Amino acid sequence: MKKDTQNVQNIIAPPALEVDFSHLKIGDRYIRTLFIVGYPRYVSANWLSPLINFNHSLDIAMYVYPSDSKGTLDTLRRRITEMEAELNTDIQKGHIPQAGTQPALEDAKVLQAQLVKGSEKFFQFSLYITVSADSLKELNTIPQQIQSMLGSLMIISKTASLSMEDAFKTTLPYCKDKLLITRNMDTTALSTTFPFTSSELSDNQGILYGINIHNDSLVVFDRFSQENANMLVLATSGSGKSYAVKLEIMRSLMFGTQSIVIDPENEYEMLSKASGGNHISFSVSSKHRVNPFQIAKPQDSTEDEMSYKYLFLQSLLKLMLGQMSPTEDAILNRALVLTYRQKGITDDPSTHTLEPPRMEDLYKALIGMEDESAKNLSARLEKYVMGSLKGIFDQQSNIDIDAPLTVFTLQELADEIRPIVMFIILDFIWTQIRKDMRKRLLIVDEAWYLMRHEDSAKILQSFVKRARKYYLGVTIISQNVDDFLGSPYGKAILTNSALKMLFKQSSAAIKDVVDTFYLSQGEKMLLLSADIGEGIFFAGQNHVALKVVSSQDEHALATTKPSEVLKRG
């Protein structure tokens, strides 16, 4: 019986190996390696993203070699002297200096200063890319596409001609650089090559938010899988922010998620009618009413309802009546307590089932106090209970939010009272959602109305912070970035929103957006030049460039373009 002479090398070795001028052929596969020889003056963070997300399998090898700072400083000093001498000679002879000499000199001086201070270190960096293909024709096409793509980033690549065998070994996973084609880099420049991550953002469950601009993959995500389900949407007017949120509502409805919308401009009416939802309009003549004095019943809450209600009403009345002195503030607090007690309602939860007071009852309590400050407050409150705004704030609640989609529309209200009504609606929603826990979305469109006032911004921030406890995801939509970046409450909302969507931004606001969200130069340019529905989607620590897409039926319900709305009507 013959002994088996097969060994591991014979088993894994290819049937044939052919080494050519510009490629290798290993078995039936054709292989070519590229190396990088030129970089732009500046590279942004994650500049390797187009290469990593290239639509073909690539082997990419990076080598980093630390350099001796002393030797580097000596070389840098000589090079600075040479460039300065070259510039002086050209000036003395009346010649125009070489275009690249002055920028190179400036960079060298900056690097020299950083190396001396120890804030930067010096490295040699190598980058190689190996492409494999089934045919020689494909092998000629793909590297050309890679070189064109890198060329658009001002990165110069070459084929490792006459060194294909060493080049292929260089990209094998045993960390030996046989070509040693390096480029000088400092710590900052080298750091831009990391993290070596792809811009995929997709989950096994959730809804479609759009298409990844980098690689055409689907951005499918479940916002309730994050540490909180809150989302902040920031963009200029007309950039597609409300459109994207409407698509999210429609797709969430299919998974049984209830949605509640505060809609100042009546943009969600068609969507609410199509989904069989409630469309609640607020105006002097409307039949819909919300009583801000309403209290959650004992069985619906485990919190100190009276303390919360007093704080809420104090904040609401500051919005309605304007700034108050400490004396007026104290009198108003006494009047609120008296108003509830006259209805038999105290801190005892068993009394919270009684009919709550109305705004008129507070008005009467202030008049009955016979104090000059109380009379002043009652005079400022009069228009809400007896004047032109009578009825909006002075009736018992007669609405519910049990439908799959509930839209509160404020289009018929004057701008000055919209924040007040939005404030009341938020409190009403907060009272209602604690009755039964279920997956819900609350959308606050044009949130800048609330962010303009400290008291309403404070309650919106509280909503965002506590929403997770009640299985609620709050979506804040605004076109005024400064309302969030320039306010402590806005920053708290930003911090407590695991998801963010940024669409087209104005040039006046882009610097603050870049600094807040740590955007690269490329992402900055994307937000400045984005088309409608294009932007950046953040989920936790990950983010991708996104294009919002919709079906024809979805578009018909989501669009607010005047020409399309008229055609639809």
Side-chain angles (χ1 to χ4, degrees):
M1 198 170 167
K2 268 193 170 182
K3 221 176 181 184
D4 188 0
T5 57
Q6 289 281 359
N7 55 34
V8 175
Q9 287 89 343
N10 288 333
I11 293 171
I12 67 173
L17 174 63
E18 180 184 326
V19 181
D20 204 299
F21 175 79
S22 61
H23 71 269
L24 296 177
K25 185 179 180 184
I26 302 176
D28 295 328
R29 299 287 290 175
Y30 292 84
I31 293 169
R32 180 172 296 163
T33 300
L34 307 175
F35 60 90
I36 308 301
V37 293
Y39 297 85
R41 187 181 180 199
Y42 293 107
V43 290
S44 60
N46 206 23
W47 59 271
L48 280 173
S49 176
L51 181 63
I52 298 162
N53 292 299
F54 189 77
N55 193 24
H56 189 84
S57 179
L58 304 176
D59 292 327
I60 302 173
M62 299 162 58
Y63 294 86
V64 180
Y65 305 98
S67 296
D68 175 52
S69 295
K70 185 180 182 306
T72 302
L73 280 169
D74 292 340
T75 304
L76 203 56
R77 194 178 301 112
R78 284 196 300 272
R79 183 62 185 137
I80 289 172
T81 304
E82 290 171 3
M83 288 189 287
E84 287 177 337
E86 179 185 333
L87 286 172
N88 290 333
T89 302
D90 286 338
I91 292 170
Q92 287 172 3
K93 292 182 177 180
H95 296 161
I96 298 174
Q98 292 289 329
T101 304
Q102 185 63 44
L105 177 60
E106 292 172 3
D107 291 344
K109 286 183 176 179
V110 170
L111 180 58
Q112 184 185 44
Q114 290 172 336
L115 287 172
V116 169
K117 290 187 292 185
S119 58
E120 294 280 356
K121 292 186 178 180
F122 212 65
F123 300 88
Q124 300 290 319
F125 176 73
S126 305
L127 178 60
Y128 308 100
I129 307 154
T130 292
V131 184
S132 62
D134 293 324
S135 67
L136 193 56
K137 181 181 178 181
E138 186 182 12
L139 188 68
N140 290 329
T141 302
I142 294 170
Q144 285 180 1
Q145 294 173 349
I146 294 172
Q147 288 182 299
S148 297
M149 179 267 294
L150 292 173
S152 69
L153 301 172
M154 299 183 70
I155 298 170
I156 302 169
S157 57
K158 301 284 187 182
T159 302
S161 303
L162 296 175
S163 302
M164 272 297 148
E165 187 178 351
D166 286 341
F168 174 66
K169 291 177 181 177
T170 297
T171 56
L172 290 177
Y174 53 74
C175 301
K176 288 189 178 179
D177 185 356
K178 293 183 175 292
L179 295 183
L180 288 172
I181 301 170
T182 61
R183 161 67 184 246
N184 298 333
M185 281 199 181
D186 59 14
T187 308
T188 302
L190 186 62
S191 68
T192 62
T193 63
F194 299 94
F196 201 71
T197 57
S198 171
S199 57
E200 292 279 354
L201 186 56
S202 190
D203 203 350
N204 293 329
Q205 56 186 0
I207 64 168
L208 174 68
Y209 282 89
I211 293 176
N212 189 327
I213 293 175
H214 292 308
N215 54 23
D216 292 332
S217 64
L218 300 180
V219 179
V220 177
F221 204 77
D222 178 14
R223 64 190 289 175
F224 289 92
S225 66
Q226 292 289 297
E227 62 270 19
N228 63 68
N230 302 323
M231 181 163 72
L232 181 63
V233 184
L234 298 175
T236 57
S237 179
S239 58
K241 54 188 185 298
S242 296
Y243 187 94
V245 172
K246 289 176 195 173
L247 294 178
E248 183 191 30
I249 292 171
M250 284 186 264
R251 293 163 185 173
S252 297
L253 284 172
M254 293 188 292
F255 291 90
T257 303
Q258 185 188 42
S259 295
I260 306 164
V261 184
I262 299 179
D263 175 21
E265 300 298 339
N266 200 28
E267 294 184 47
Y268 296 77
E269 180 180 4
M270 180 64 70
L271 181 56
S272 66
K273 289 179 179 178
S275 62
N278 287 339
H279 188 256
I280 300 168
S281 176
F282 279 89
S283 67
V284 175
S285 59
S286 171
K287 64 180 180 180
H288 301 117
R289 295 289 181 263
V290 172
N291 182 10
F293 288 80
Q294 183 177 335
I295 311 171
K297 291 182 171 53
Q299 65 268 27
D300 298 331
S301 174
T302 58
E303 301 181 16
D304 183 356
E305 285 301 320
M306 286 311 302
S307 295
Y308 166 77
K309 185 55 66 172
Y310 287 141
L311 288 172
F312 162 74
L313 289 170
Q314 288 272 124
S315 299
L316 172 64
L317 289 160
K318 283 179 184 176
L319 276 181
M320 297 171 69
L321 307 180
Q323 288 298 316
M324 300 181 191
S325 66
T327 302
E328 290 174 328
D329 198 43
I331 288 173
L332 182 61
N333 187 264
R334 290 204 305 271
L336 286 170
V337 174
L338 178 62
T339 301
Y340 275 102
R341 284 184 177 170
Q342 286 175 344
K343 290 289 184 177
I345 300 173
T346 64
D347 291 336
D348 182 0
S350 64
T351 64
H352 297 176
T353 57
L354 299 173
E355 183 181 277
R358 296 181 292 123
M359 195 70 72
E360 185 179 357
D361 296 313
L362 174 63
Y363 173 72
K364 292 176 179 176
L366 286 169
I367 291 177
M369 294 178 77
E370 297 183 355
D371 182 278
E372 194 61 38
S373 295
K375 288 180 181 178
N376 180 32
L377 288 172
S378 65
R380 287 150 69 183
L381 187 63
E382 185 173 326
K383 68 177 179 179
Y384 296 103
V385 294
M386 300 179 67
S388 58
L389 300 175
K390 179 181 178 181
I392 297 180
F393 310 98
D394 193 36
Q395 300 292 330
Q396 297 294 352
S397 301
N398 60 0
I399 60 177
D400 64 73
I401 56 171
D402 292 333
L405 173 61
T406 300
V407 176
F408 294 91
T409 298
L410 314 179
Q411 187 181 34
E412 297 181 29
L413 294 175
D415 277 357
E416 59 268 23
I417 64 169
R418 283 188 183 183
I420 300 170
V421 177
M422 291 174 78
F423 196 56
I424 293 171
I425 292 171
L426 278 175
D427 175 68
F428 174 77
I429 292 169
W430 185 247
T431 302
Q432 297 298 308
I433 63 172
R434 289 178 291 167
K435 289 183 178 179
D436 65 307
M437 187 180 294
R438 56 182 294 191
K439 190 187 288 188
R440 288 186 176 94
L441 295 178
L442 169 65
I443 295 89
V444 184
D445 207 342
E446 304 294 352
W448 58 270
Y449 279 111
L450 293 171
M451 297 306 298
R452 287 185 303 178
H453 306 278
E454 181 179 354
D455 292 287
S456 54
K458 190 185 298 182
I459 197 170
L460 189 59
Q461 171 213 6
S462 174
F463 235 84
V464 169
K465 281 187 171 182
R466 303 174 66 192
R468 182 185 62 83
K469 181 180 176 182
Y470 296 99
Y471 209 6
L472 176 70
V474 182
T475 298
I476 307 292
I477 308 173
S478 184
Q479 52 186 274
N480 288 7
V481 180
D482 292 342
D483 289 333
F484 292 88
L485 304 185
S487 155
Y489 305 110
K491 288 179 180 177
I493 291 172
L494 182 67
T495 304
N496 286 278
S497 298
L499 284 81
K500 293 106 179 168
M501 293 182 79
L502 304 179
F503 293 102
K504 187 178 178 68
Q505 301 291 321
S506 69
S507 55
I510 192 65
K511 184 179 183 303
D512 289 334
V513 174
V514 169
D515 293 343
T516 302
F517 294 96
Y518 305 103
L519 302 181
S520 68
Q521 184 69 17
E523 290 167 334
K524 171 186 173 182
M525 297 310 298
L526 169 65
L527 293 181
L528 285 172
S529 60
D531 289 333
I532 296 174
E534 289 184 352
I536 302 175
F537 178 75
F538 291 77
Q541 298 299 313
N542 303 312
H543 62 278
V544 296
L546 178 81
K547 171 69 176 176
V548 174
V549 293
S550 63
S551 68
Q552 189 174 345
D553 291 337
E554 287 176 325
H555 177 76
L557 294 175
T559 183
T560 52
K561 194 175 180 181
S563 59
E564 294 179 348
V565 171
L566 287 173
K567 198 178 294 183
R568 181 180 63 196

